[in-house]
Amino acid sequence: MLARQITTAFLAVTLPGALVLSGVALHALGSLRRVSHELAEINRSLQATSEVRHAVIEARRALTLFSLSGDTGRLQRFEALVRGAQAKVRSCGAGTCHDVSRTPGEMGRLIEPALEQLLADGRRLEEAGGRGTSPELLEAMHRSVEAVDRPLARMTASLFGRVQALGLEAHAVSRRARLLVGGLTLLVVPVGAVAALLVARRIARPLAELRRGIRRVMGGDSTHRVSVPPAGEVGEVAAAFNAMVDEVRRHRQALEEYSRTLEERVRQRTEELERKDRALLRSEKLAALGLLAAGVAHELNNPLTSIVMKANLLAEEVGPGSPLAEELGKIDQDAARCQRIIEDLRTFARRRELCEVPSEVGAVVGQALRITAHELRRRGIAVEVDVPADLPKVVWDPDRMVQVLTNLVVNAAQAMEDGGRLSVRCRREGDWLRLEVQDTGVGIPAEDLPRIFDPFFTTKPEGTGLGLSITHGIVQEHGGRLEVESRTRENGDPGTTVRILLPCPEAAA
């Protein structure tokens, strides 16, 4: 498109000038060709005239010599020269005479009688014997020669006049050609300049806008757009520039977004690595504690059984009213507590294979709440359950998950001494199942949160500190994780939320 515009402008300016120049050149060439042709004809006419005049002059000379010497050879030369002049005059044909009113034939008819008269004078001179010719005869001969020479001189003068006229005509043609070429040049140059200026402005204007757009984009204005011409290469460049700016803006936004979120992602990744590191350390610690707990439970179980049995026997022997009966009851209670601790140690140390089967989430939650219903009613705790009915079945070990939920509900109930509200919620988020147990209890201090899954760590006087460790292990065995959020009264409304996240990529029918 741009090349066509430039070519059109160039042709619009140069083509008329070229046509006019061609016309001027053709006219000048035609005029010069005609002048050249006429000059050639004049040259031939001058040559013929000169030859005739020369022949007449030589004939007069030969005749004069004959009259003086009586040499017949001179007379023969005279006659031959006159005959040659006659032949030259007759051979002029019908060509242009170059005289204004005469043709070669007419000029010949004027000269031929004079030549015939000159030839007759020569014969009379021959008859007179040549030597001592009378003056009258010689005078007549000279008149005949002048009769021939006068038209020849007039023709020569006419030819030279025509040559001068042709020179003037050629000069006039050359002058007109120069004037036309100069005038056309003066006309074409400003017209060409105007056309070039218009084309240049049409090209330079969008290019200048493109340059301004590039500077603005380089300055950071990624929203700037240049106007796109309707068609042509410049329009394509403008459209490509706008597309490039859009692409740069998208990449810049992506880079800015990446820069904004990089720190957060680094922090999250660091926390994830720290969490995995803590989980690994905890797993190693739990494995070691599991071996220790299994050994301790085995070694303590038999002595505790013996202590319980002997304390019961002594209580029967001393009777209910004996002062020792109360002390024996305390021994029995402490021994029973030790047995419960040993049972927890056995549970903590035992790693059972998961028996994963598809089961309803609502059924597992309902079973855990039924197991803990007495404890919840005794403490006056209101229960809210939000488990959607359209949740698909999840492949897991339902008994172990009942144990997990039971531990969490009991812990929540123990944190609400004066009653409160317990909420159990369940949602599916993509390929993950989220179970939340939320209470309105006293909360967990921030300094204790990192240690709540450690074995034997507890804030309750009667606790063993193994419940959450066992719960954490079961969740990990399912490929999930536990998250805890808690607030105490110092931080606002107290309460704790325990979130279980379990993978559930497939739903069983």
Side-chain angles (χ1 to χ4, degrees):
M1 179 64 70
L2 184 59
R4 186 166 67 247
Q5 292 176 355
I6 296 175
T7 303
T8 302
F10 175 77
L11 291 178
V13 174
T14 59
L15 188 58
L19 292 177
V20 173
L21 284 175
S22 299
V24 172
L26 290 176
H27 173 71
L29 288 175
S31 299
L32 293 176
R33 188 180 296 112
R34 180 176 56 79
V35 170
S36 176
H37 178 71
E38 289 194 22
L39 287 174
E41 291 294 330
I42 290 172
N43 183 55
R44 287 195 295 270
S45 299
L46 285 172
Q47 185 177 0
T49 304
S50 177
E51 289 176 357
V52 172
R53 292 189 72 185
H54 179 70
V56 170
I57 293 171
E58 288 295 322
R60 183 177 62 179
R61 181 172 176 274
L63 192 61
T64 302
L65 291 176
F66 170 72
S67 66
L68 294 175
S69 63
D71 185 2
T72 57
R74 299 291 182 179
L75 186 61
Q76 291 176 356
R77 177 171 172 74
F78 164 77
E79 187 173 353
L81 288 172
V82 174
R83 296 292 183 187
Q86 286 179 332
K88 179 65 70 175
V89 170
R90 293 191 188 100
S91 66
C92 285
T96 304
C97 180
H98 307 291
D99 196 3
V100 177
S101 60
R102 306 282 182 167
T103 63
E106 293 175 347
M107 295 297 294
R109 285 192 293 273
L110 290 175
I111 297 173
E112 281 186 8
L115 291 175
E116 288 292 339
Q117 182 62 41
L118 180 60
L119 190 61
D121 291 340
R123 291 193 189 102
R124 286 197 303 273
L125 187 60
E126 181 182 3
E127 292 174 356
R131 185 176 294 178
T133 305
S134 64
E136 292 82 6
L137 188 57
L138 291 175
E139 183 65 26
M141 182 191 64
H142 287 299
R143 284 195 301 271
S144 297
V145 171
E146 290 178 358
V148 174
D149 189 59
R150 277 194 302 270
L152 290 175
R154 190 168 55 253
M155 181 182 293
T156 301
S158 175
L159 290 173
F160 278 113
R162 183 59 180 164
V163 168
Q164 186 178 5
L166 289 175
L168 294 174
E169 184 178 353
H171 178 72
V173 170
S174 176
R175 183 171 177 274
R176 285 197 301 271
R178 287 196 301 271
L179 289 176
L180 286 174
V181 171
L184 184 62
T185 303
L186 294 177
L187 178 63
V188 169
V189 168
V191 172
V194 171
L197 180 61
L198 292 177
V199 173
R201 289 183 62 185
R202 188 168 184 178
I203 297 173
R205 186 176 301 167
L207 292 180
E209 186 173 354
L210 278 175
R211 184 171 63 253
R212 290 193 296 270
I214 291 172
R215 290 176 178 173
R216 292 189 62 176
V217 172
M218 290 176 62
D221 185 6
S222 59
T223 61
H224 180 71
R225 298 293 181 275
V226 297
S227 59
V228 180
E233 290 83 350
V234 177
E236 294 177 0
V237 172
F241 174 80
N242 290 336
M244 179 195 69
V245 172
D246 291 337
E247 189 69 19
V248 170
R249 179 177 55 80
R250 286 194 293 270
H251 283 290
R252 179 176 292 179
Q253 289 176 350
L255 182 60
E256 291 175 353
E257 180 65 23
Y258 182 81
S259 299
R260 285 195 298 270
T261 59
L262 179 61
E263 184 177 353
E264 179 63 21
R265 288 199 298 271
V266 169
R267 184 187 63 78
Q268 293 177 356
R269 183 61 176 168
T270 302
E271 291 179 354
E272 182 179 356
L273 291 175
E274 291 177 351
R275 186 170 59 252
K276 290 182 178 180
D277 186 53
R278 289 194 299 269
L280 180 61
L281 292 175
R282 186 181 297 111
S283 297
E284 294 176 353
K285 185 187 298 184
L286 291 178
L289 288 176
L291 293 176
L292 176 63
V296 170
H298 177 73
E299 295 297 329
L300 293 181
N301 187 50
N302 291 333
L304 282 174
T305 301
S306 175
I307 291 173
V308 170
M309 292 178 60
K310 291 178 180 180
N312 290 331
L313 290 174
L314 289 173
E316 291 178 358
E317 289 182 3
V318 299
S322 172
L324 294 176
E326 184 177 354
E327 299 298 330
L328 290 174
K330 291 180 179 180
I331 292 174
D332 184 64
Q333 291 176 0
D334 290 340
R337 182 170 179 270
C338 289
Q339 285 181 331
R340 289 195 302 273
I341 293 174
I342 290 173
E343 186 61 29
D344 287 342
L345 287 173
R346 285 179 173 177
T347 302
F348 174 75
R350 186 168 56 245
R351 290 290 183 266
R352 296 188 307 173
E353 292 293 331
L354 295 178
C355 182
E356 296 181 330
V357 295
S359 57
E360 298 284 349
V361 178
V364 172
V365 173
Q367 184 176 352
L369 291 177
R370 284 192 296 272
I371 293 173
T372 58
H374 175 72
E375 183 72 12
L376 294 173
R377 283 195 300 270
R378 186 177 68 83
R379 295 178 180 272
I381 298 172
V383 179
E384 297 179 359
V385 180
D386 182 10
V387 179
D390 58 350
L391 280 177
K393 292 182 179 181
V394 180
V395 179
W396 56 9
D397 188 334
D399 294 336
R400 304 291 294 277
M401 293 308 300
V402 168
Q403 182 181 357
V404 167
L405 290 175
T406 300
N407 286 341
L408 295 179
V409 171
V410 169
N411 285 343
Q414 291 175 351
M416 295 182 287
E417 293 291 342
D418 300 328
R421 185 178 67 257
L422 177 71
S423 300
V424 180
R425 293 184 292 271
C426 185
R427 292 288 184 274
R428 183 173 184 180
E429 299 176 348
D431 291 338
W432 291 85
L433 180 70
R434 186 184 69 185
L435 273 168
E436 290 184 352
V437 177
Q438 184 178 28
D439 63 58
T440 58
V442 295
I444 303 172
E447 61 272 14
D448 293 339
L449 280 175
R451 303 173 57 195
I452 58 176
F453 296 126
D454 292 344
F456 307 111
F457 176 79
T458 182
T459 58
K460 295 177 290 187
E462 301 296 327
T464 62
L466 293 175
L468 284 180
S469 295
I470 295 172
T471 299
H472 185 269
I474 294 173
V475 172
Q476 279 192 326
E477 289 175 1
H478 281 81
R481 66 178 186 269
L482 275 176
E483 297 177 353
V484 179
E485 297 177 2
S486 186
R487 295 186 305 275
T488 58
R489 295 186 185 278
E490 290 79 6
N491 300 322
D493 295 334
T496 301
T497 300
V498 180
R499 186 178 299 108
I500 304 171
L501 297 172
L502 295 173
C504 56
E506 296 181 1

